[in-house]
């Protein structure tokens, strides 16, 4: 049995020890906001925060996260839209939406470390996350807008 702490709640999960975190979150906990794209660490769709750091959950065994705090997109939006979610909607930074949970969590990891990023900082911070739809301009804009909202206390 595996004990996981996800989005502020404790879970006891009966699962295979070789399963990756993305598979356990999706298959065993039903948290399908986390997406599985390449499964090789290349696309970033599976990004979650582990102890505040953006991590590609297809590269981590769920059993390696024991005692750590995991945040998925479901947890980020638990008490209403987070400024990043709001800015992504308002700035049209979402098309098909497949990359969006990973993008937003990667952006959250970035803004928690650097609340006042430049455009280059955002581009660099999101460089491990691929989007096949938007062309990235709107995504980068949305992150900068969200950073400003957070700085102003949103
Ligand atoms: S599914 Fe994890 S990086 Fe693509
Ligand atoms: S919005 Fe479709 S992959 Fe990014």
């Amino acid at each position: 049995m595996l004990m996981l702490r996800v989005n502020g709640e404790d879970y006891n999960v009966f699962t295979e020890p070789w399963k990756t975190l993305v598979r356990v979150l999706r298959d065993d906990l039903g948290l399908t906001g986390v997406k599985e794209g390449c499964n090789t660490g290349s696309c970033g769709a599976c990004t979650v925060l582990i102890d505040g750091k953006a991590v590609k959950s297809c590269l981590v065994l769920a059993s390696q996260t024991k005692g750590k705090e995991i945040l998925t997109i479901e947890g980020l939006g638990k008490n209403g839209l987070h400024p990043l979610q709001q800015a992504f909607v308002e700035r049209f930074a979402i098309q098909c939406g497949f990359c969006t949970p990973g993008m937003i969590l990667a952006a959250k990891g970035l803004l928690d470390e650097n609340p006042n990023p430049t455009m280059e900082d955002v581009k660099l911070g999101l460089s491990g996350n691929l989007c096949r739809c938007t062309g990235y301009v709107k995504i980068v804009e949305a992150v900068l807008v969200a950073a400003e909202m957070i700085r102003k206390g949103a």
Side-chain angles (χ1 to χ4, degrees):
M1 189 173 68
L2 189 61
M3 290 193 309
L4 292 179
R5 186 160 175 82
V6 185
N7 300 332
E9 292 183 35
D10 292 315
Y11 293 89
N12 293 323
V13 190
F14 289 93
T15 193
E16 294 88 350
W18 57 84
K19 267 178 112 170
T20 56
L21 181 60
V22 63
R23 290 254 59 99
V24 169
L25 290 171
R26 289 180 58 86
D27 300 348
D28 298 294
L29 301 185
L31 296 170
T32 53
V34 56
K35 302 299 183 220
E36 190 174 19
C38 63
N39 231 345
T40 60
S42 308
C43 75
C46 64
T47 303
V48 298
L49 295 191
I50 301 179
D51 284 347
K53 301 272 179 225
V55 174
K56 292 173 177 174
S57 61
C58 69
L59 297 181
V60 179
L61 292 177
S63 55
Q64 292 175 294
T65 65
K66 194 178 163 202
K68 298 181 193 280
E69 188 77 45
I70 299 161
L71 182 74
T72 71
I73 198 72
E74 289 88 349
L76 189 69
K78 216 171 176 177
N79 301 315
L81 288 185
H82 183 277
L84 276 163
Q85 293 171 306
Q86 208 175 320
F88 267 62
V89 172
E90 287 172 4
R91 290 289 161 147
F92 303 103
I94 302 168
Q95 287 187 25
C96 79
F98 189 83
C99 70
T100 310
M103 281 287 181
I104 286 182
L105 287 164
K108 174 157 170 53
L110 169 71
L111 296 188
D112 287 349
E113 272 184 18
N114 178 5
N116 194 8
T118 63
M119 186 179 283
E120 286 309 310
D121 293 336
V122 175
K123 287 182 183 172
L124 190 64
L126 298 183
S127 58
N129 291 68
L130 303 181
C131 175
R132 298 197 305 184
C133 308
T134 66
Y136 302 101
V137 172
K138 298 282 179 192
I139 291 175
V140 173
E141 275 176 18
V143 175
L144 291 170
V145 166
E148 198 180 343
M149 287 163 73
I150 295 168
R151 286 198 304 275
K152 288 181 175 167

